[in-house]
Amino acid sequence: MLNFVAIRNGESTLEEVTAQLTTTDLAALTDEMIDTMLDLIANCTDADVVFVPEDPEAKDTFADSDDPAIVNLAWTLGHVVVHVTASSEEAAALAAELARGVENHGRSRYETPWQKVRTIAQCRERLEESRRMRLASLDMWPAIPHLDNRYKPYPSAPEMNAVGRFIAGLFHDDAHLGQIADIVGQAKAARM
């Protein structure tokens, strides 16, 4: 995988890490990330998917609610899986548009309602569907992508081109790997 820690620590920039990446590299990195997440949940049961972990730092500032109970709700495994897949699919869709020379015109996001994801089979299906969608988005890139087409996805972000925007989705996935491992560990301990 890419060294996302170096980016988080300010030792490298997203642009430096992604400068030489091709769509073939992006596909391989996508497969690696999905495989990593599938490995993390390999021995999970349906009960693990809906298990509510202890997470004293839980705070979703983007939660669509004024209810502090929702904003501070610890995420289940199902919740994290739908969140990471939605974020990376959005990044892949926007990257394909940038690569084709389309100026950014806003978000492109749909997140499966996490309350409906209650089985480990659903988590695995969601991850595989996300892999398929992300890889398919790379087929939309022209042979010579418009890598000079850039935008800032949010105010504190650097300007990103298509490669950077695609990798930003994987960067976000990577940020949740520890959370997935923690939820799985807590759920397994609760089962014992």
Side-chain angles (χ1 to χ4, degrees), residues 125-186:
E125 288 166 7
R126 179 81 278 275
L127 287 164
E128 289 296 355
E129 179 179 52
S130 187
R131 179 197 314 258
R132 179 185 57 75
M133 292 167 68
R134 297 183 210 187
L135 294 176
S137 77
L138 294 170
D139 286 338
M140 294 177 61
W141 288 40
I144 301 172
H146 296 262
L147 297 181
D148 56 333
N149 189 14
R150 302 169 169 271
Y151 85 109
K152 290 177 73 138
Y154 49 92
S156 63
E159 277 201 340
M160 295 180 193
N161 66 11
V163 175
R165 191 65 186 102
F166 191 97
I167 289 295
L170 295 171
F171 181 80
H172 179 261
D173 286 345
D174 183 76
H176 284 282
L177 292 178
Q179 182 182 21
I180 293 169
D182 183 52
I183 294 167
V184 169
Q186 285 188 46

Side-chain angles (χ1 to χ4, degrees), residues 24-104:
T24 301
D25 297 324
L26 298 178
L29 290 165
T30 297
D31 282 332
E32 186 176 27
M33 182 60 72
I34 296 291
D35 290 343
T36 298
M37 288 189 269
L38 287 168
D39 286 346
L40 286 171
I41 67 171
N43 298 312
C44 288
T45 67
D46 291 347
D48 299 338
V49 174
V50 295
F51 172 79
V52 179
E54 292 291 322
D55 187 357
E57 296 179 23
K59 183 168 184 156
D60 183 1
T61 55
F62 297 103
D64 191 18
S65 176
D66 294 326
D67 181 356
I70 299 294
V71 172
N72 298 316
L73 182 70
W75 287 10
T76 64
L77 180 58
H79 193 156
V80 177
V81 167
V82 300
H83 172 74
V84 296
T85 54
S87 296
S88 279
E89 290 158 17
E90 175 181 27
L94 294 173
E97 288 192 348
L98 289 171
R100 292 172 34 243
V102 177
E103 294 296 319
N104 179 264

